Each structure stands twice: as C-alpha cells, then as structure tokens.
Amino acid sequence: MSKKRIRVLVAKPGLDGHDRGAKVIAQALRDAGMEVVYTGLRQTPEQIVSAAVQEDVNVVGMSILSGAHGTLFPEVIKLLKEKGAGDILVVGGGIIPEEDVPALKEAGIAEIFGPGTPLEEVVKYIQANVKN
Amino acid sequence: MFREDQLEKIAAKKESWTAKLEATKKKRPERQSQFATDSGVDINTVYTPLDLKDMDYERDLGLPGEYPFTRGVQPNLYRGRLWTMRQYAGFGSAEETNQRFRYLLEQGQTGLSCAFDLPTQIGYDSDHPLAQGEIGKVGVAIDSLADMETLFDQIPLGKVSTSMTINAPAGVLLAMYIACAEKQGFDKSQINGTIQNDVIKEYICRGTYILPPEPSMRLISNIFEYCSKEIPQWNTISISGYHIREAGATAAQEIAFTLADGIAYVDAAIKAGLDVDTFGPRLSFFFNAHLNFFEEIAKFRAARRVWAKVMKERFGAKNPRSWTLRFHTQTAGVSLTAQQPMVNIMRTAFEALSAVLGGTQSLHTNSYDEALALPCDESVMIALRTQQVIGYEIGVCDLVDPLGGSYYIESLTNALEEKAWEYIGKIDALGGADKAIEYMQKEIHNSAYQYQLAIDNKKKTVIGVNSFIMQDEEKPKGLLKVDLSVGERQVAKLAKVKAGRDNAKVESLLKDIREAAQSNANLIPVFIDAVKEYVTLGEICGVLRDVFGEYKQQIVF
C-alpha cells in the first residue's frame, strides 16, 4: 500500500518580501513528491494557521528574513495548538541568528534551516520527522 | 573594425591553432565539459578579432560620454570624481540611525543611503497591528516628520545627498524630506538625492507594494512632474534590477526586466502628458554586482547601450542626458555565506571591482556578516574600506572603461544585449512590464531554482557551503541586535506626536488628500502640506488605500 503523500504549507509570515528561498524550498519539496501549498507574502499568524488547518497539512515551513521571527514563529505555534493542530511539524528558515534558535525550539519550532542548507537536507528532515 | 584580409589571416591561423588545442585537450582534459556564464552564454577558450568582425566602433562603442554610452556616461568618469561611496544603513529608531549616518560620514562616506523598516515601506504606522515584531528591524521606523527631523539631526540636507529606499509611499517620504530640509533652512531646490520609487519590481520580487498598478503609476508620474519643476537635481526613480537579481534572475534577465520596467514608467509618464526630455534625464538605475566577474562588467556596458537605444529610438528623446543610464550598484547579498563569513570580504571586493570597471555612479559594498544579521560598525567599516582600496590604491580609476576593446568583454556585451532584447520583445508582446509581472516572476523563480540545484550538485562551487568546509568553525561574535523595546518607544513617540498636533487641521488635510486623489491633481504638494502638520505616513497611506484599493498578489511558483 502506498503511503499518503506529505502535505506542506510554505508560508511567509510578516511584511518581509524576500521569497526566493521559500519558493525554491517549495519547489524542491514538490519535486520530492510532496503536495505543497505556498501562501504568498504578508501572512498573519492567523492566516497561516487557518490555511494549515483548511489544507490539512502535515508540515508548516515558514521563512522570515526581516528579523521578526522571534515574535511571529511562536505566535503560529500557539495558534496551531489552540486549533488542535499541535501535531503539525513546524520548521523555519531565513536569516535567523544562532543565538535565537534555542528560544524558537523551546517554543515548538522543530528545526531552523539557515542559509547554505542543501535542499536535500530539508527534504530528508521532513520525511524523517513528519507525523503522517 | 578589422580589415577583411587581416581577418582571413587570423581565421587561417586559428584553424591550425584549434587542431593544436584539440591535441592538448587530450593530454590535459578540461575541468568542465562546457564553460558558460550565469546567463548561459557559452565561453570559448579564447577570443580574437573574429568574434568582433561585425562590430562598428562608432556605432557600437563610441567614446565615453557619447552615444550609445557603452563606454560610460561621462567623458572622464573617475578621473574627475570617484563614484559616490554610499552605504545603505538604517535600523531601530531615528536616533540610532542618525548615529550610524554620522559615523559613516566621519569615516569618509560621501553620500547617505537610508533603509526604512517594513511597516514604513508598506505605509503602516508603528502602532498598526501588522507592524508587530517588524518595527526598526530592517531599517529605521518613520511615522511622521518628527522622526525625519531626528534622523537628519545635524546633517545638512542642502549639502549631503541622500538615497532613500522607499517605493510605494515614496511621494510621502519625499514630502517629509523636503519639509525637513526647509526646516533646516535650505531651499528645496538645493536638495539632492534619490527615491527608489520603483513599484513594478515590488510586484515582481521585493514585496513592499501598497496600491494596484494604475494608481501607483499615476503617483510615479506625479513625482516626475513635481520634481522636474521644483527639485530639478533629484533622481525621481531608481529603476532597480538589484532585487530582481537577488530573487534569482540571471544577468541577462536583470538587464531586460529592469529596462522593461523603465520602458513602462516612461510610457506611463508620456501618457500622463509629460515630455520625455523633461523627466528622462532624472531617471536613474540600480544594479547588482554578482560573482561572475566579466559577465557583470559586460552587463553594465550592455545595459547602457540598450537604454540609450530605447530612449533615443523608441521614445524619440532629443536631450542626450535622457539617453544616459546612470546607476547605483550594490554587491550581491545573495552571494554572501553564513559559513566562514570573513570570506565574504573577498567576494564583495571582486563584485565591487566589477561595478567600478563597469562604470557605476555610486556603490554600496555589503558587509561580511550580512548573511547572519544587520551589519555591525566594524563590518560596515571594512566594506567601506574595500571601496576606498579600489578607488585609491589599485589604479583602476585612472582611465575610463579599461576593458573596452577586450575581445571577450565586447563579445559578451553583444551577447547580453542580444539576450536582453529578446526578453524585452517578449514583455512587449505581453503588453509591457506592468502586465508581465507573473511572466517575469516565473522566469526568475526558474533561474533561482536552477542556481540552487547547481550549488547542491556542486556544479557551482560555494566556498564554505559545498566545498572547503571547515568543521568546528568558530561563530562570529558581536552581531548587531535590534531590541524589541525600539517598537515600544516608537509607538510611544507616535502617540506623543498625535497628541501634540492640531488634529482638526490634520482632518482637513486628510480630506484634501482624499479629494486630490479622487481628481487628477498632482498629489505631491498636498502631501507636503500634510506632513508639515505632522500628519503621519500611515494616515496618508490609509486614505490612498481607501480611495484606490490594495494590490493583490498572484501566487506564482
């Protein structure tokens, strides 16, 4: 029996317009056989969580390069839990200083992928850690 | 450019040489089966006059400062004055950015370049819910004229030129700049600088759009018209390929998409009734300097030649100044690595050198720590010193267009020009750049994905990322951090400004803006009246959003 395809929401929270990385990751996950929805720019945490629930995804991947990750990433986790979607695997990427990573992980972000991460590494991480 | 009999001799010589080359290749196989630039131009082993046999010197190159400006926009370029060394800066509060500006001026920087935070760039005041977490992060927060006054405290705006990276609300920030200069005691005709004001590339790839294309183009035409009459030294737009390249475009796409955007702005202004030669001379451009050294130099040269032809032949501009493509350059942020960050100093230096050899008018060099955080004082200083080494120590500024006439550079300039015209033709067929946004996004994304795959499969070497990796690399210290209290302080300052102004007057000024927006009037004078009374950016943009609606992005990937 074939395994269910992994469904991923790639999201751009906040006002930051840098979406090169988000789109490249989205394409790589799609090429790896996952079903990928990309939100587009300027999504509030509420919009991201509602899209995640509506699209019934297993994974949310967020990208921020503006420095607003400390506020917005934890807010998404909090709202996902409130909606009973706390089992979704949430990962992040962008320009995120290493010293901020422990607090983000503490808040419930499973992994942070910084600049220079090979696409393969993200694909494998998701395949290994998704709760399907 | 070469005599027929000379070319025949060279061709014969090359034939026997090629046989020798093939024999050599058998003994010394080449590192790659094929060599090509980032734009996909094949690179031969060597270039000769045969590669330039159709070239006509006067038609294709000319002399510096003469049509088609391939060799530069000024006759003596850096022999007269070096490019403007202009480091993009701005973070946190207006006080902090003012300190950074003054530090840079003390270090010998010759112009300012201001970064605004995202709420400011999208026309929201700091007390807007969407500003949460973003205040002061990627630039300085400006809500009202009060912040602008602090930002330029003790910096004489009649003497320093300032470039402002502001697009959708450019007219409002320009109004604040004018009001601030007047408060300092200068006449507005004395101010000098640039607003980015390029909204099409915001739709394509940078993301700080507010209004739909039609009212955005009208605001841009309003700015062209106002500035041509009132502040003739001002660069009314900086048509930007930088972000298009950062988003993934190749060098050829960077030229083509940027100039296609330029064509759309000229078209709109002509349709609004302006004469091409009144605003044409004040259009300026902004390019990226990426890693592929020779291709970048050729790119700047090709861009100048294409734009000269566009303005002269397509739009019939008569003033030679309308034909010239003057540009700012920034080194490629996307080429910086978080790994072994000091190596970024070298990358940036080579990129900066390509911009200088390409004849840039001003330059920003990135700091080595920018893949990790906003740059600290030390890294910014090294970045500025990099420009000073190029300008003062290595002798490349003692003549104009030193690589002009290189068989390779000229051949590559021709190849990039040809590719650029092809893309411009496609965009024309779609109805122009403002109608071809999704097409360009798709092309850029495809190039970005191919670039990443080339890194992942090691076809492209990135030191520290896929090659020459250091285990247990020491993490850099002293990274700049913007603390969250900036947001709280900014919101408090805004509340104080709103409490201290004449709010009845504010209401009436906002009504004036609404009426002007609904009519065909030029909006800039009403913006100036409003900001002088401390009407905020968010209030003005709120009225514009209400009258014109907001742009909705199509999702393409």
Side-chain angles (χ1 to χ4, degrees):
Chain A
M1 215 172 80
S2 69
K3 237 177 115 185
K4 231 174 98 187
R5 295 222 296 179
I6 299 171
R7 290 177 64 79
V8 187
L9 182 76
V10 173
K12 281 290 297 176
L15 302 179
D16 163 36
H18 296 89
D19 61 356
R20 172 181 182 155
K23 284 160 127 177
V24 166
I25 292 280
Q27 174 103 44
L29 299 180
R30 185 180 280 175
D31 287 357
M34 301 181 200
E35 284 181 44
V36 182
V37 179
Y38 170 54
T39 61
L41 302 177
R42 286 195 214 171
Q43 300 295 302
T44 62
E46 290 78 10
Q47 287 170 318
I48 291 168
V49 168
S50 118
V53 171
Q54 204 177 332
E55 298 284 347
D56 193 23
V57 298
N58 318 101
V59 183
V60 172
M62 293 186 284
S63 162
I64 297 190
L65 286 84
S66 72
H69 50 270
T71 310
L72 298 173
F73 281 0
E75 184 67 15
V76 169
I77 299 277
K78 192 185 105 194
L79 293 173
L80 279 173
K81 283 184 184 152
E82 281 175 23
K83 294 269 180 199
D87 59 335
I88 292 177
L89 177 71
V90 182
V91 296
I95 303 287
I96 296 175
E98 195 155 289
E99 61 194 85
D100 294 356
V101 172
L104 295 174
K105 288 196 172 170
E106 182 75 15
I109 307 288
E111 193 55 82
I112 297 289
F113 298 101
T117 308
L119 297 171
E120 181 84 15
E121 193 180 315
V122 182
V123 170
K124 282 195 172 142
Y125 179 87
I126 289 176
Q127 285 167 340
N129 290 281
V130 68
K131 298 172 201 86
N132 213 338
Chain B
M1 222 163 81
F2 302 96
R3 286 205 326 261
E4 206 58 39
D5 60 325
Q6 284 177 322
L7 287 171
E8 274 166 27
K9 269 192 206 159
I10 297 168
K13 195 97 187 154
K14 181 132 185 247
E15 208 170 315
S16 60
W17 177 84
T18 305
K20 216 159 87 187
L21 172 71
E22 291 308 319
T24 307
K25 277 197 211 167
K26 286 206 179 83
K27 274 185 273 170
R28 301 185 64 210
E30 301 201 325
R31 289 181 288 109
Q32 293 163 219
S33 57
Q34 211 185 354
F35 292 82
T37 69
D38 289 350
S39 299
V41 178
D42 286 333
I43 305 173
N44 303 332
T45 309
V46 74
Y47 286 76
T48 69
L50 296 172
D51 298 287
L52 302 178
K53 60 181 188 313
D54 299 322
M55 185 162 216
D56 177 324
Y57 184 87
E58 273 183 67
R59 181 195 64 198
D60 300 330
L61 299 183
L63 287 162
E66 286 178 11
Y67 190 87
F69 302 99
T70 312
R71 308 201 67 183
V73 295
Q74 283 138 348
N76 64 347
L77 200 65
Y78 308 137
R79 283 170 71 108
R81 188 174 66 80
L82 295 183
W83 63 92
T84 305
M85 300 182 185
R86 198 190 283 286
Q87 297 295 95
Y88 185 42
F91 59 95
S93 64
E95 284 86 357
E96 285 167 285
T97 301
N98 175 262
Q99 271 172 22
R100 175 65 69 86
F101 280 173
R102 283 157 60 186
Y103 173 78
L104 286 166
L105 291 170
E106 278 160 26
Q107 296 301 318
Q109 176 169 286
T110 47
L112 296 174
S113 172
C114 186
F116 298 97
D117 73 357
L118 286 165
T120 304
Q121 293 189 51
I122 300 174
Y124 294 126
D125 284 340
S126 299
D127 57 2
H128 193 281
L130 287 174
Q132 196 199 351
E134 309 269 15
I135 302 166
K137 279 284 157 64
V138 301
V140 60
I142 300 292
D143 293 318
S144 75
L145 180 59
D147 298 319
M148 204 70 148
E149 287 162 4
T150 310
L151 182 63
F152 294 110
D153 183 38
Q154 297 179 58
I155 298 172
L157 296 189
K159 294 185 177 140
V160 174
S161 77
T162 305
S163 168
M164 294 190 276
T165 299
I166 194 75
N167 292 279
V172 183
L173 271 296
L174 174 63
M176 287 187 189
Y177 193 83
I178 291 169
C180 191
E182 287 182 346
K183 276 198 126 180
Q184 288 185 354
F186 295 102
D187 185 84
K188 62 176 178 287
S189 64
Q190 291 171 281
I191 62 168
N192 202 318
T194 307
I195 39 175
Q196 201 163 75
N197 198 22
D198 172 7
V199 177
I200 299 177
K201 68 96 176 46
E202 298 296 327
Y203 302 135
I204 298 171
C205 64
R206 192 170 172 276
T208 69
Y209 43 75
I210 302 176
L211 307 175
E214 204 176 313
S216 295
M217 299 301 265
R218 174 224 168 148
L219 270 168
I220 291 165
S221 295
N222 282 176
I223 291 170
F224 288 179
E225 186 189 19
Y226 177 86
C227 292
S228 70
K229 290 181 187 149
E230 306 289 339
I231 40 173
Q233 295 307 308
W234 197 264
N235 296 306
T236 53
I237 192 167
S238 174
I239 305 161
S240 305
Y242 183 79
H243 319 87
I244 289 171
R245 188 67 180 278
E246 286 289 290
T250 64
Q253 289 168 339
E254 182 188 353
I255 305 175
F257 297 171
T258 310
L259 301 193
D261 290 352
I263 290 168
Y265 294 124
V266 175
D267 260 332
I270 290 174
K271 276 198 194 107
L274 306 183
D275 177 79
V276 65
D277 282 320
T278 63
F279 66 87
R282 297 320 301 167
L283 305 177
S284 66
F285 290 81
F286 175 20
F287 290 111
N288 198 298
H290 217 287
L291 285 166
N292 201 304
F293 189 69
F294 294 121
E295 182 171 51
E296 293 303 287
I297 298 167
K299 175 186 81 181
F300 300 121
R301 302 172 85 251
R304 270 195 298 267
R305 189 156 72 204
V306 175
W307 188 247
K309 291 180 186 171
V310 164
M311 288 303 272
K312 190 174 184 211
E313 291 167 16
R314 179 168 178 156
F315 292 114
K318 304 241 167 8
N319 183 348
R321 289 165 57 97
S322 301
W323 305 335
T324 60
L325 179 144
R326 295 170 301 120
F327 65 99
H328 173 68
T329 307
Q330 180 170 341
T331 56
V334 76
S335 72
L336 303 177
T337 61
Q339 297 75 14
Q340 302 179 40
M342 290 306 218
V343 178
N344 292 326
I345 298 173
M346 270 75 80
R347 294 190 178 99
T348 297
F350 292 125
E351 292 167 353
L353 181 58
S354 76
V356 169
L357 295 175
T360 194
Q361 274 58 61
S362 62
L363 179 61
H364 166 104
T365 32
N366 290 325
S367 301
Y368 63 79
D369 52 356
E370 288 190 74
L372 300 157
L374 289 182
C376 62
D377 276 358
E378 188 211 4
S379 66
V380 170
M381 205 256 297
I382 291 175
L384 176 60
R385 293 285 182 260
T386 304
Q387 296 198 33
Q388 291 163 337
V389 168
I390 296 172
Y392 298 106
E393 293 191 348
I394 63 172
V396 293
C397 305
D398 298 346
L399 74 165
V400 183
D401 191 31
L403 295 180
S406 147
Y407 307 121
Y408 178 44
I409 288 288
E410 295 303 352
S411 160
L412 198 48
T413 304
N414 294 343
L416 289 176
E417 178 179 356
E418 196 179 315
K419 277 182 182 281
W421 284 121
E422 245 173 68
Y423 280 116
I424 291 172
K426 279 184 198 159
I427 293 165
D428 280 341
L430 290 166
D434 47 332
K435 311 279 186 316
I437 289 157
E438 286 80 24
Y439 161 75
M440 290 188 268
Q441 285 178 324
K442 221 176 175 124
E443 290 287 319
I444 292 167
H445 170 65
N446 288 340
S447 299
Y449 194 51
Q450 291 311 317
Y451 194 91
Q452 186 60 43
L453 292 179
I455 293 172
D456 283 6
N457 65 27
K458 295 195 180 189
K459 276 194 183 145
K460 192 176 266 303
T461 299
V462 184
I463 291 164
V465 171
N466 67 7
S467 307
F468 310 106
I469 295 167
M470 267 163 72
Q471 305 301 339
D472 307 318
E473 193 188 314
E474 202 180 314
K475 300 291 171 208
K477 295 184 186 73
L479 295 179
L480 185 117
K481 236 179 139 49
V482 177
D483 77 87
L484 279 172
S485 73
V486 167
E488 290 159 29
R489 278 184 279 135
Q490 188 62 24
V491 171
K493 185 178 177 190
L494 175 60
K496 208 172 144 201
V497 167
K498 283 188 179 173
R501 62 187 184 175
D502 180 346
N503 280 303
K505 197 154 197 186
V506 167
E507 285 312 312
S508 115
L509 285 161
L510 286 170
K511 206 169 139 251
D512 292 348
I513 292 175
R514 181 177 298 271
E515 281 166 11
Q518 285 161 340
S519 76
N520 286 326
N522 192 317
L523 281 158
I524 308 307
V526 278
F527 288 166
I528 296 173
D529 292 343
V531 301
K532 282 181 176 168
E533 297 296 328
Y534 298 90
V535 178
T536 68
L537 173 69
E539 289 167 335
I540 296 173
C541 292
V543 170
L544 299 178
R545 283 185 156 98
D546 202 37
V547 173
F548 297 120
E550 288 193 58
Y551 178 70
K552 293 274 173 286
Q553 186 197 31
Q554 300 290 315
I555 292 163
V556 177
F557 101 89

